[in-house]
Amino acid sequence: MRNTKPEARRRGTPDFQLLILTLLLVGFGVIMVFSASSSVALLNKENNFDSLYFVKRQAAFAVLGLFIMLVAMNIKMEKYKKLFVPLFFITILLLVIVLFTGSLNGAKSWFRFGSIGFQPTELAKISIILYLSALIVKKGERFRDLRTGYIPVTVIVGFVAGLIMLQPDLGSCFILVATSGLIIYVGGASVKHITASIVLLVLGASIVFGIGSLFEGDSGGAVEQAAATQNYKIGRFQAFLNPMKYKQGVGYNLVQSLQAIGEGGISGSGFGKGIIKLHYLPNSFNDFIFSVIGEEFGFIGTAIFLMLYLYLIWRGMLVALRCRDPFGTLVGTGIMGLIAIQAFINIGGVTQTIPITGVTLPFISFGGSSLLVTMFSMGIMLSISRENSKPAVQERTTGVAIRSEVPNRFQARRTKRYR
């Protein structure tokens, strides 16, 4: 009788299209940070009058991010199912501690280590994706039940979103809630439960804005500060509706952004030849870097850039939908949804499509926390793609190798459908 010995199942290769697209966008981001920041850094004493100050930091974060991405790519999905619990609780701890740190630009969102800053909100985005995905898979059919499934999940999302709003960071809070909503929907939640949650969210936000407006005329310390914060948020809506009316105040950034994009025309002014970034447009290498792309590369260059972005998102969604593990599908959908939502909010804000919220453009904007977490997320996507391309299970017999596939009819139909 022949002895059979099953061979350990090897991991497949990563999706090279996804990997190459990620590297292209990160590389393009480093180039654009140089173009958008060199003139500002050259004339700033805090940056040692070094025109390469910001680009050197961004390049260093890109290299570190590449290492993190490669490590994440080689971690099996089974490990991420165990990693989500400690990562989530570390994130909650950091979100609480950061509230007791000093404020920067009116927000308590950063830990400062000398000249290096870390924003725990960025870590919260990937943590909530992993946590919700694992929780929904664990609950299974019970997730559709309102009391034991849906409400506990939404309470977790609301708690994390509340900690972010205390900083305050409206843009990141909206991104986290929208991404969580996508995962909850894909996870099989009842549409009527989701609709009810959206209605309650809108009503709650309206009440908060309404109460804030009552304090406008009060001149007492903490109340006056709260009113100023509230008025600033309202000012962004006013600038969105009529930026020219407020071009000397809250609408200044948006007016300069639109002017930069308009100056680009069809073919752009050329790389490094933009004018608006020269001390006219604040945060040109961060929140408004898309405006610099529009001015220097014009409609043609911007269209090519957006097509790369869209192809990355489409490719990532394809990887997620092909995954045989529901956990991998939810995580992959959440990550690509996060990138798509954040890119839309950034680009929509600087083009007057939606009000400005002050979030970075993934892969492109200057910022170590954002870039590192984004590349870590793409490492998880590449790990999912490796699970999808696992070689067939092999059974070795004496002198004969027999290849056999493990059938999965549902997955076969789903894979065929999205090819």
Side-chain angles (χ1 to χ4, degrees):
M1 182 177 179
R2 294 181 177 179
N3 294 325
T4 61
K5 181 181 179 181
E7 183 179 305
R9 195 174 190 183
R10 294 175 288 112
R11 301 192 76 199
T13 57
D15 189 287
F16 285 105
Q17 292 188 47
L18 204 59
L19 176 60
I20 292 172
L21 286 167
T22 301
L23 296 178
L24 283 175
L25 288 173
V26 172
F28 181 66
V30 173
I31 292 173
M32 289 312 303
V33 166
F34 166 70
S35 176
S37 68
S38 57
S39 60
V40 177
L42 183 62
L43 300 177
N44 196 329
K45 182 179 180 180
E46 294 182 1
N47 304 325
N48 303 319
F49 303 107
D50 182 5
S51 62
L52 300 178
Y53 178 83
F54 291 103
V55 72
K56 287 189 293 188
R57 293 166 66 90
Q58 187 75 351
F61 283 124
V63 173
L64 179 58
L66 177 61
F67 173 76
I68 293 174
M69 184 176 70
L70 294 177
V71 171
M73 181 182 71
N74 287 284
I75 299 176
K76 296 181 179 181
M77 291 307 297
E78 289 81 2
K79 297 289 181 65
Y80 286 113
K81 291 181 182 179
K82 301 176 182 178
L83 178 65
F84 79 93
V85 174
L87 182 62
F88 181 75
F89 283 104
I90 289 173
T91 301
I92 295 298
L93 182 62
L94 293 176
L95 288 175
V96 172
I97 295 175
V98 78
L99 297 176
F100 300 94
T101 61
S103 62
L104 179 65
N105 297 327
K108 296 181 178 181
S109 305
W110 295 86
F111 289 110
R112 305 298 303 184
F113 306 98
S115 60
I116 299 176
F118 172 71
Q119 194 171 12
T121 301
E122 296 296 333
L123 184 61
K125 296 174 184 176
I126 185 62
S127 297
I128 197 71
I129 290 174
L130 292 171
Y131 190 86
L132 288 182
S133 300
L135 190 60
I136 291 172
V137 170
K138 183 179 180 179
K139 286 182 176 293
E141 289 298 323
R142 292 185 295 115
F143 177 58
R144 294 184 61 84
D145 181 74
L146 178 63
R147 185 175 61 86
T148 61
Y150 184 77
I151 290 180
V153 171
T154 53
V155 167
I156 292 170
V157 175
F159 176 68
V160 178
L163 289 176
I164 295 175
M165 278 302 296
L166 289 175
Q167 297 180 5
D169 189 345
L170 178 62
S172 295
C173 180
F174 179 81
I175 292 170
L176 184 137
V177 171
T179 304
S180 301
L182 176 63
I183 297 173
I184 290 171
Y185 173 75
V186 175
S190 172
V191 176
K192 65 179 181 180
H193 294 164
I194 297 175
T195 303
S197 299
I198 294 174
V199 172
L200 290 174
L201 181 64
V202 173
L203 288 176
S206 301
I207 292 172
V208 170
F209 275 99
I211 293 176
S213 64
L214 296 177
F215 296 123
E216 290 183 10
D218 198 299
S219 59
V223 176
E224 183 179 1
Q225 184 178 359
T229 302
Q230 186 69 20
N231 290 338
Y232 179 71
K233 295 176 183 177
I234 294 174
R236 286 186 170 182
F237 283 96
Q238 294 173 334
F240 164 69
L241 296 174
N242 191 352
M244 293 304 297
K245 182 179 179 180
Y246 304 96
K247 63 180 180 180
Q248 298 301 325
V250 291
Y252 176 81
N253 290 357
L254 181 56
V255 170
Q256 296 298 322
S257 172
L258 295 175
Q259 184 175 346
I261 295 173
E263 290 289 339
I266 299 297
S267 58
S269 60
F271 175 70
K273 298 181 180 179
I275 301 298
I276 306 299
K277 67 185 181 184
L278 302 178
H279 311 284
Y280 295 102
L281 181 62
N283 298 318
S284 59
F285 51 89
N286 197 309
D287 298 347
F288 290 90
I289 198 167
F290 183 79
S291 305
V292 179
I293 295 174
E295 182 180 10
E296 298 188 352
F297 294 96
F299 174 79
I300 296 175
T302 302
I304 294 173
F305 167 71
L306 290 177
M307 284 191 289
L308 283 175
Y309 236 122
L310 290 174
Y311 187 72
L312 172 84
I313 294 167
W314 175 84
R315 189 68 190 178
M317 289 300 297
L318 197 62
V319 168
L321 293 172
R322 284 177 173 175
C323 186
R324 296 175 176 86
D325 186 352
F327 174 73
T329 297
L330 290 177
V331 171
T333 301
I335 290 174
M336 300 318 299
L338 169 66
I339 293 174
I341 292 168
Q342 185 160 331
F344 171 76
I345 291 177
N346 176 275
I347 296 173
V350 302
T351 57
Q352 203 187 350
T353 305
I354 59 174
I356 294 175
T357 55
V359 299
T360 58
L361 183 59
F363 302 108
I364 310 299
S365 295
F366 173 80
S369 301
S370 176
L371 184 60
L372 293 179
V373 173
T374 303
M375 295 191 74
F376 171 60
S377 301
M378 292 310 299
I380 297 176
M381 288 300 307
L382 292 170
S383 177
I384 295 173
S385 70
R386 294 190 67 182
E387 296 291 321
N388 296 348
S389 61
K390 279 182 177 179
V393 177
Q394 291 187 355
E395 290 183 351
R396 292 195 179 276
T397 59
T398 306
V400 179
I402 301 176
R403 176 179 295 271
S404 61
E405 296 286 352
V406 179
N408 187 326
R409 295 177 182 176
F410 172 75
Q411 183 62 33
R413 289 198 301 269
R414 187 171 63 170
T415 302
K416 183 178 180 181
R417 180 181 175 184
Y418 290 104
R419 274 182 179 171

